Structures are given as structure tokens and as C-alpha cells.
């Protein structure tokens, strides 16, 4: 089979995982990343269910464990910081994970682990640029996609992959036309598959905080009225991660221009005004904080992740399931594995170096991308079940009564040790869906 020439836009978890597998299959890959270097920012992420199995099939279990975050569970606390419940991580190797997975890690560490083991003889990385547009070719002069980069260079590829995250520009071009502009997750009136959840925002930042004697690495979660939550996590003895989560129709928040960090912080101060526990301390820390990142929470839902056998999406760009499902990174890893597996199955290996059999490339890719949709869409439908534009984060309490009820329920579940967190509150359980096994990808 001919060697494929693949362009991946986005060097995050999905882009690197796909580059890893395709280079194992002997194909040549270019990864173009907007950031000037490997983008290793971001806070704690985790792997669950089949995401863990894919990590093992990549041979990266040990490397992951070396860098794993030490979080061993999560406390649920009240206004005074009193503990109502504790959910330990499920380290038994059986059943679904809890709020804390057995596989917790900082985003940058997982990105680097995959990047480091990716074969650089077959994968070329271009940092600090983006794709401006592409043209599908299907004539005597050539076949595939011709890509115009923002720096003015042009190059032909057999396949273009959008692994450029939730605001994917490749997705916009694929769905809306190749003149679609790169607007991130800004909501436009043109539907490109991005579905913002009703008024849901998550702010992420870190603050210096020395670990005290007797303090553990457990996360702490505090929920209060009006759909407001704060979660703390610790990944080293000197820093804590703060997550402020809310569902709101605050007018200030709704009118903020994209990227106006000062306004975002002011809006959060307004929204969290009056909340108790350590809220004041975090709002104060915000004033001088420099790694604040605000996510306007949304999903990506498309009936098909590819067009014409030449352009395909993977990871958040294709099917972002929101942070509330706990399945973003696992879905990205599983999707990259299935896409590579189907390419291996229908297009074969590229090791023999032959080129020029374009009709076979075209047919093989068309079959591979269709099989990727057929096999993986049912998984993502299960993961995204119940989430839509109108639902928001329905499970967050509004009144004091519902806050009290939520704490009592948490205490009951923790006390009775019902292992139902991953089953009902997160979306790890995907029924009888099975991870395909690709002989072509066996290491
Ligand atoms: C900086 C950052 C911080 C994050 N922090 C968290 C976190 O704290 N907790 C959490 O749960 N999830 C976080 N996420 C999201 C999480 O990484 C993903 O949900 C999940 O891992 C799936 O990964 P992905 O590779 O599909 O997308 P992403 O991890 O979003 O990676 C997309 C990559 O594409 C690049 N990119 C974007 N646009 C273009 C473009 N036009 N051209 C070329 N490259 C482009 C981005 O720079 C990024 O490297 C973060 C993502 C990013 C980018």
C-alpha cells in the first residue's frame, strides 16, 4: 500500500496520539500547531474506561504512572469547610472510576509523554503557524488536499485531520466552507456543530499554597446556592489548582468580549459574591493571578466527522463532551486509536514507501473514515447523552434546600460505598460498546 501523507492541525492530546499511531503504521505525518512550541499548559485531566486501555495499548502505562498526579480522592465540604463525604479513587483495577480516576495527570505531562515517544523521523512538527484554507484536489494534476498555510506556504496531502480543539478551524472550514474564519468558540449564527451549554462557565487558575503538615492530596469540592461550585486540587506541595464553576445569566458575563480577562474576573467576582467557605480568598487571589483561563462550556455534535474521504476531525474538534462528563481526554485518545486503526485496516501500512496509487488511497481512506464514524459515533452518543443547549449543568443546586439535599445524598453514597459515581454522575459507562482491536496497531 502507498505511504500516506497526512497533515494534522493541532498538537494537543488527540493530534499527538494520532501522529503516534500513524507513524507506527509507517505513514508520514506533519503536525501544525498554532502555539509557538508544544502547548503544555492546562490543569489536571484524567483517563477513564477505554481511555486507560488505549494508553496501555500505546505502551505508556508506566510513563503515565511516573508523572501521575497524586490525587487520591475527593472531599465534599460545606460553608465552614466541614467534610460531608469522601470519595476515594477506585484503585482496584475493576469497575468504573470515581470522581478521582486512578489515572490523573497534568495536561502538559500527558501531551509531552505522547510527543516524546512519537517517531520524529516520520512526524514533522511545525509550531507557530496555522492553516489558512484548503482545496480538495481530484484531477489529473493530483489528488488529495492542497493546504495553504498562514505563512504563505502551500503543500499537498492525502488527508487533512482537524485535531485543533473545541473551536476547531478545520471543522468550521469542513462544515461551513473553506472561507470560514478562525473564530474559536465564539458563537456565531452559523452552525458548525458547536453547541454552547446554557450559561455554563468554568474558570481555571492556580495559586501558590504550601502544603501543610497532615494535608493530603485529596481534591475538595464545595457547592453553594445559585449553581455555583468551587473545586480545589493539588498536584505538587507548592501550588493548588482552583476551578470555579457556574451556570449563570449574569449580564456582565454575557456581554464580555472574547479574551477580556479583566472583565471575566470582575464578572466572576459578581457571580460568586456572597458564597462562603474560601471564596473570598480565591477572589482576592484572582486580582493578581496570571494563569486565569475561562472556558465557555460547550459540546461538539456532528452526524459525521469527515468529508469526501479527505478531511476528518478527531478529539474535541469532533466530539467535545464537556468537562462534566469526565470523558474529554479519554474520548480523544480512543478516537485517535480508532481512526488510526481503520486507516491501518483499509489503507494498510506505509512502510514499503511506494507512492502514486491514488485511486487505492482514495478508496481506502473513504472506507476508513466511514468505519471511524460507524464504530465511534455510538460511543460518543452514549458519552454525550442528556447534554444539550437547553440543559446547562442541571445537577448543580439552586436553593439552600437543594444544596442540603446534594450534601446529604453525597454523604449517603459515600457512606454506603455505592460505586455509582462513574456510572451515573460521569459518563464513563458506555453500555455494551466494545473497543475494537486492531492487529495493525499492536506494538
Ligand atoms: C491550553 C489548554 C488547556 C486546557 N486545560 C484543560 C484543563 O485544565 N482541564 C481539562 O479538563 N481540559 C483542559 N483542556 C482541554 C483538554 O486538553 C481536551 O478536552 C482533551 O484533552 C482533548 O484534547 P484535544 O487534543 O482534542 O484538544 P486540545 O487539548 O484543546 O488541543 C488542541 C490543540 O490544537 C491547537 N490549536 C487550536 N487551534 C489551532 C489552529 N487553528 N491551528 C493549529 N493548532 C491549533 C491548540 O493550541 C492545542 O494544542 C485544555 C486545552 C488546552 C488547549
Amino acid at each position: 500500500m502507498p505511504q500516506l501523507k497526512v497533515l494534522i492541525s493541532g498538537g494537543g492530546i488527540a493530534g499527538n496520539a494520532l501522529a503516534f499511531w500513524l507513524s507506527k503504521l509507517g505513514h508520514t505525518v506533519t503536525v501544525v500547531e498554532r502555539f509557538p512550541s508544544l502547548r503544555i499548559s492546562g490543569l489536571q485531566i484524567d483517563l477513564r474506561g477505554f481511555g486507560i486501555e488505549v494508553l496501555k495499548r500505546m505502551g505508556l502505562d508506566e510513563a503515565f504512572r511516573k508523572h501521575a498526579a497524586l490525587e487520591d480522592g475527593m472531599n465534599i465540604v460545606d460553608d465552614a469547610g466541614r467534610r460531608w463525604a469522601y470519595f476515594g479513587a477506585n484503585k482496584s483495577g475493576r469497575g468504573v472510576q470515581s470522581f478521582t480516576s486512578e489515572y490523573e495527570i497534568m495536561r502538559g505531562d500527558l501531551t509531552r509523554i505522547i510527543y516524546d515517544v512519537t517517531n520524529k523521523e516520520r512526524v514533522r512538527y511545525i509550531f507557530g503557524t496555522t492553516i489558512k484554507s484548503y482545496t480538495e484536489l481530484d484531477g489529473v494534476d493530483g489528488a488529495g488536499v492542497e493546504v495553504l498555510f498562514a505563512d504563505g506556504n502551500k503543500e499537498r496531502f492525502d488527508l487533512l485531520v482537524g485535531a485543533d480543539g473545541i473551536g476547531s478551524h478545520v471543522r468550521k472550514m469542513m462544515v461551513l466552507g473553506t472561507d470560514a474564519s478562525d473564530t474559536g468558540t465564539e458563537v456565531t449564527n452559523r452552525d458548525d456543530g458547536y453547541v454552547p451549554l446554557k450559561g455554563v462557565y468554568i474558570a481555571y487558575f492556580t495559586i501558590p499554597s504550601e502544603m501543610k503538615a497532615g494535608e493530603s492530596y485529596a481534591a475538595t469540592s464545595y457547592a453553594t446556592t445559585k449553581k455555583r461550585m468551587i473545586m480545589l486540587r493539588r498536584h505538587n506541595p507548592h501550588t493548588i489548582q482552583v476551578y470555579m464553576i457556574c451556570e449563570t445569566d449574569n449580564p456582565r458575563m454575557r456581554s464580555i468580549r472574547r479574551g477580556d480577562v479583566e472583565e471575566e474576573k470582575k464578572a466572576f467576582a459578581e457571580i460568586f459574591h456572597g458564597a462562603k467557605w474560601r471564596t473570598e480568598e480565591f477572589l482576592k487571589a484572582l486580582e493578581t493571578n496570571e494563569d486565569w483561563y475561562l472556558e465557555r462550556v460547550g459540546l461538539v455534535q456532528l452526524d459525521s466527522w469527515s468529508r469526501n474521504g479527505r478531511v476528518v476531525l478527531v478529539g474535541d474538534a469532533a466530539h467535545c463532551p464537556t468537562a462534566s462528563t469526565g470523558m474529554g481526554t479519554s474520548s480523544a485518545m480512543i478516537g485517535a486509536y480508532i481512526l488510526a486503526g481503520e486507516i491501518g485496516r483499509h489503507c494498510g501500512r506505509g512502510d514499503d514507501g511506494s507512492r502514486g496509487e491514488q485511486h487505492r488511497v482514495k478508496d481506502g481512506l473513504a472506507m476508513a473514515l466511514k468505519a471511524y464514524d460507524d464504530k465511534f459515533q455510538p460511543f460518543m452518543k452514549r458519552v454525550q447523552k442528556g447534554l444539550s443547549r437547553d440543559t446547562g449543568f442541571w445537577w448543580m443546586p439552586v436553593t439552600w434546600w437543594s444544596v442540603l439535599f446534594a450534601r446529604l445524598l453525597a454523604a449517603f453514597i459515600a457512606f454506603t460505598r455505592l460505586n455509582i459515581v462513574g456510572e451515573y454522575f460521569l459518563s464513563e459507562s458506555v453500555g455494551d460498546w466494545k473497543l475494537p482491536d486492531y492487529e495493525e496497531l499492536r506494538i
Side-chain angles (χ1 to χ4, degrees), residues 9-15 32-35 39 41-45 107 129-131 163-166 169 182 204 243 293 314-317 323 328-329 332:
S9 174
I13 308 275
V32 56
E33 162 61 47
R34 173 158 62 190
F35 206 63
R39 197 169 184 185
S41 47
L43 303 186
Q44 202 169 311
I45 55 175
R107 178 184 178 277
T129 193
T130 55
I131 295 171
D164 44 353
I166 186 169
H169 184 214
D182 192 356
Y204 304 82
Y243 300 70
Y293 171 73
V314 68
D316 278 0
T329 303

Side-chain angles (χ1 to χ4, degrees), residues 43 106 204-208 235 239-242 289-292:
L43 303 186
M106 296 304 279
Y204 304 82
F205 57 99
T206 59
I207 55 175
H235 58 287
T239 320
I240 48 173
Q241 310 160 42
V242 185
N289 169 275
E290 291 193 347
D291 67 354
W292 162 273

Side-chain angles (χ1 to χ4, degrees), residues 107-383:
R107 178 184 178 277
D109 288 336
L110 182 56
T111 308
R112 183 166 288 289
I113 286 171
I114 304 173
Y115 171 83
D116 282 350
V117 294
T118 297
N119 182 346
K120 306 296 182 305
E121 281 173 18
R122 294 217 172 98
V123 184
R124 167 177 62 138
Y125 282 82
I126 306 175
F127 292 106
T129 193
T130 55
I131 295 171
K132 196 154 187 272
S133 62
Y134 69 82
T135 313
E136 285 175 32
L137 306 170
D138 202 3
V140 281
D141 295 338
V145 267
E146 185 176 69
V147 172
L148 172 64
F149 293 94
D151 59 13
N153 285 324
K154 267 189 186 172
E155 199 172 333
R156 194 206 69 81
F157 296 90
D158 294 309
L159 180 66
L160 167 61
V161 184
D164 44 353
I166 186 169
S168 170
H169 184 214
V170 175
R171 184 181 71 243
K172 288 188 176 67
M173 292 191 285
M174 187 183 99
V175 177
L176 303 175
T178 58
D179 59 341
S181 51
D182 192 356
T183 54
T185 53
E186 210 155 281
V187 185
T188 67
N189 51 10
R190 298 175 73 198
D191 182 9
D192 75 328
Y194 172 68
V195 182
L197 292 199
K198 198 179 74 186
V200 182
Y201 299 86
I202 305 180
Y204 304 82
F205 57 99
T206 59
I207 55 175
S209 167
E210 291 303 316
M211 203 165 181
K212 297 188 185 73
E215 186 184 330
S216 81
Y217 275 94
T220 307
S221 174
Y222 166 71
T224 186
T225 53
K226 301 184 202 160
K227 298 196 167 211
R228 297 172 295 174
M229 264 182 81
I230 299 178
M231 189 167 83
L232 298 187
R233 314 182 96 165
R234 182 183 277 290
H235 58 287
N236 70 40
H238 315 294
T239 320
I240 48 173
Q241 310 160 42
V242 185
Y243 300 70
M244 298 180 87
I245 307 161
C246 61
E247 187 188 313
T248 179
D249 56 4
N250 179 288
R252 185 171 209 150
M253 183 59 103
R254 282 205 317 251
S255 61
I256 292 173
R257 266 182 308 112
R258 187 169 164 232
D260 189 343
V261 171
E262 288 315 308
E263 268 302 293
E264 289 172 359
K265 289 180 177 178
K266 282 183 193 153
F268 257 69
E270 253 177 50
I271 293 162
F272 277 81
H273 178 76
K276 298 200 169 63
W277 188 47
R278 296 172 62 184
T279 306
E280 281 307 314
E281 175 191 342
F282 302 135
L283 293 179
K284 184 92 197 113
L286 263 190
E287 290 169 13
T288 49
N289 169 275
E290 291 193 347
D291 67 354
W292 162 273
Y293 171 73
L294 180 74
E295 181 185 353
R296 166 84 170 87
V297 177
L299 296 169
V300 177
Q301 289 177 323
L302 289 170
D303 292 335
S304 171
W305 295 317
S306 66
R307 289 288 184 278
N308 304 333
R310 293 298 188 184
V311 184
V312 65
L313 304 170
V314 68
D316 278 0
H319 45 62
C320 177
T322 81
S324 72
T325 61
M327 289 298 284
T329 303
S330 295
S331 302
M333 298 270 286
I334 300 166
Y337 172 75
I338 294 178
L339 177 56
E342 294 302 334
I343 289 174
R345 188 166 285 175
H346 294 282
C347 303
R349 300 187 60 87
D351 294 323
D352 61 7
S354 65
R355 291 204 53 81
E357 301 170 68
Q358 277 302 328
H359 65 284
R360 290 176 66 196
V361 169
K362 187 177 176 199
D363 294 348
L365 280 174
M367 285 191 282
L369 304 195
K370 182 174 181 316
Y372 165 57
D373 261 336
D374 291 347
K375 298 216 168 118
F376 195 45
Q377 286 270 3
F379 176 96
M380 286 314 305
K381 288 214 161 71
R382 285 291 300 236
V383 169

Side-chain angles (χ1 to χ4, degrees), residues 27-47:
H27 298 298
T28 62
V29 180
T30 301
V31 178
V32 56
E33 162 61 47
R34 173 158 62 190
F35 206 63
S37 56
L38 190 68
R39 197 169 184 185
I40 50 172
S41 47
L43 303 186
Q44 202 169 311
I45 55 175
D46 58 34
L47 291 179

